[in-house]
Amino acid sequence: LQNETTIQHLQAALIELTHERDGEHKKSNKLMKIMARHRTEWENEIQQERKGFADVSHKHKKEIERWKRKVHKLGKRCKHVEYELKEKEGMIKLWEEQDVRENGGNTSQ
């Protein structure tokens, strides 16, 4: 009789522990699902941030290239204007020299 009571006590304790274990297992599974969902959300967020950074970086690079092309174009234009200026200065100098030869430097006629 005493052995039977002990067995029943042990069976009841085993059932209680099994229920506790099942409850903890369910909680654990629920937490794992929540963590997996959060991880997926964070990964998506990080991916979006990376894409956003890549887009901004690409636009910045294109903007720099555009400005470099403008600088190059303006540099060529500037060299062309400098060349024309030197050419005109040379012509003015020739005219002045020619005027000096023809008029003796006297420009008040």
Side-chain angles (χ1 to χ4, degrees):
L1 186 68
Q2 192 177 23
N3 284 343
E4 206 171 296
T5 304
T6 304
I7 290 172
Q8 287 176 350
H9 257 15
L10 289 174
Q11 283 178 339
L14 181 60
I15 290 171
E16 187 178 327
L17 286 173
T18 301
H19 287 305
E20 283 180 26
R21 185 190 61 89
D22 288 345
E24 293 300 320
H25 186 67
K26 286 179 184 177
K27 285 181 191 177
S28 175
N29 283 343
K30 186 176 180 181
L31 287 174
M32 290 298 286
K33 286 179 185 177
I34 290 170
M35 287 174 33
R37 188 179 73 234
H38 284 294
R39 179 180 177 183
T40 301
E41 289 171 0
W42 291 335
E43 286 173 347
N44 290 340
E45 198 173 309
I46 289 170
Q47 182 65 25
Q48 289 173 353
E49 286 179 7
R50 285 181 182 161
K51 186 182 180 314
F53 178 77
D55 290 346
V56 168
S57 180
H58 180 72
K59 286 178 185 177
H60 185 252
K61 182 179 177 184
K62 289 294 182 184
E63 185 74 11
I64 289 171
E65 289 172 359
R66 186 174 69 87
W67 281 105
K68 282 182 179 179
R69 285 191 303 271
K70 275 190 174 186
V71 166
H72 182 70
K73 187 177 180 180
L74 290 173
K76 284 174 118 179
R77 189 180 298 166
C78 185
K79 284 182 182 178
H80 179 69
V81 169
E82 286 175 351
Y83 175 76
E84 285 182 351
L85 179 65
K86 284 181 183 179
E87 211 174 58
K88 288 181 182 180
E89 285 174 343
M91 288 172 59
I92 291 171
K93 191 174 183 181
L94 283 175
W95 289 340
E96 288 174 346
E97 289 172 0
Q98 188 178 15
D99 187 45
V100 167
R101 274 186 251 132
E102 291 175 1
N103 299 326
N106 197 357
T107 56
S108 55
Q109 285 180 344

